[in-house]
Amino acid sequence: MRSLKLTVILTLTCLLATSAFGSGFLIPEQGAKASSMAGAFAATADDPSAIFYNPAGIAQQRHLSVLAGTTFINFTNEFNGDPNSPVTAGTDAKYNRHTFNIPNMYAVVPIGNNLSFGIGVFAAFGLRTDWADPFPGRYISKDADLKTMSVNPVLAWQSSDGRWAFGGGVEYRRARVILNANRMSLNPFTGRIVDVANTRLVSDYGSSTGFNAGFLIKPTPRFRIGGSYRSSMDIDLDGDAEISQISTGNAQLDAVIRTQLPPNQKINTTFPFPSVASLGVAFSPTETWDFEFDVIRTGWDAFDALAVNFETTPAASFVRPQNWQNSNSYRFGVNHNASEHWDVRFGAVYDKNPQPTASVSPLLPDSDRLGGSLGAGYHAGPFVVDGSLLVLHFKDRDTQGQNLEGFNGIYETDALLWSVNLGYRF
């Protein structure tokens, strides 16, 4: 009974921790122009996606304009078991293939000579780790799915000479999470480990509010400094745990397991989304070339622990340490005005992961990331079309025998992110 309780607790912990693991669930690709510059956009911020990257940037946009688009994300992930582990030696696994669609929409409305109002809708946080069957780590996590949506109205002001701008607004965010995982037990009749139950949790949407703010300084026409901050946010989630028995093929064993399974029940938790701060410097040596370098710091230290409350069986409530650390990403982007109607862009990114080795698991095997981007923009009259490709390589991540669940091995991950935006200036 104790091992069953521990497994159920672990399963539900994994579900609720889905939204609390590393930069793997932060999605900063919220505009094709910025993405083609590897996200180095805080000091440029010259299209409506500035609502996300630096709200002060909309103050320099003196036309009513709209921008809408999406980012398509493809992940590949492979796990190779630790040859020295009795649990994972000789095992391997891969993700199921998915294409994730992360939409965004923005609108900017100038007010008088110095003010601008904007509103953005985007999904800056999300996660899906869906392992293909048969997956040896299905007792930790088979499928974890986090979805979010944010609405972010902002207001920005710039000085009459255009050298100073400040902006900020309120963000309303909704989130939900789903997890599917199995439970195993020793079959005393065969001496083999078998699946005996499945635990699935589907949360309702929870919501909370935060804020974002930014500044933009132009000491000279060719030099810009921009910074922004998006606040941390706590979201309460209520969910339903569904615990279903899996037949072992032995009626006697199934009868014993049936008496040990806890009932379906409600659970609740409060977990934090991290703060995100950015600082960028941009330089335009000529009329046709723009260079920018950004540092982005994400406040993952908010995940020091995760508390989960069981409503039917409160004795199962627990606090699980997370021990995340703050992390930085470094982004460099270039924009070249190649002709009257075309811009070409490229960039590079290094993203340091915040995940302790002991927490690397099938739920989210995060690691340091290296990436390169390229893209183009077409503008003719009031129309704008931007497209980009960002290629991310995750350094191989070895659990080094330290995984908390004893599931050790090496994870290899890569990702492709395709972004496109269509814009119109009235």
Side-chain angles (χ1 to χ4, degrees), residues 43 46 90 96 98 117 124 142 231 252 260 285-286 289 398 404:
D46 61 355
N96 282 314
H98 293 284
F117 171 79
K142 290 175 62 178
S231 69
Q252 184 177 354
Q260 296 177 346
T286 71
W289 286 93
D398 190 342
L404 294 173

Side-chain angles (χ1 to χ4, degrees), residues 227-231 275-279 295-299 327-329:
S228 69
Y229 178 82
R230 188 170 298 276
S231 69
S275 62
V276 182
S278 63
L279 180 65
V295 178
I296 300 175
R297 186 166 182 83
T298 307
S327 66
N328 293 340
S329 67

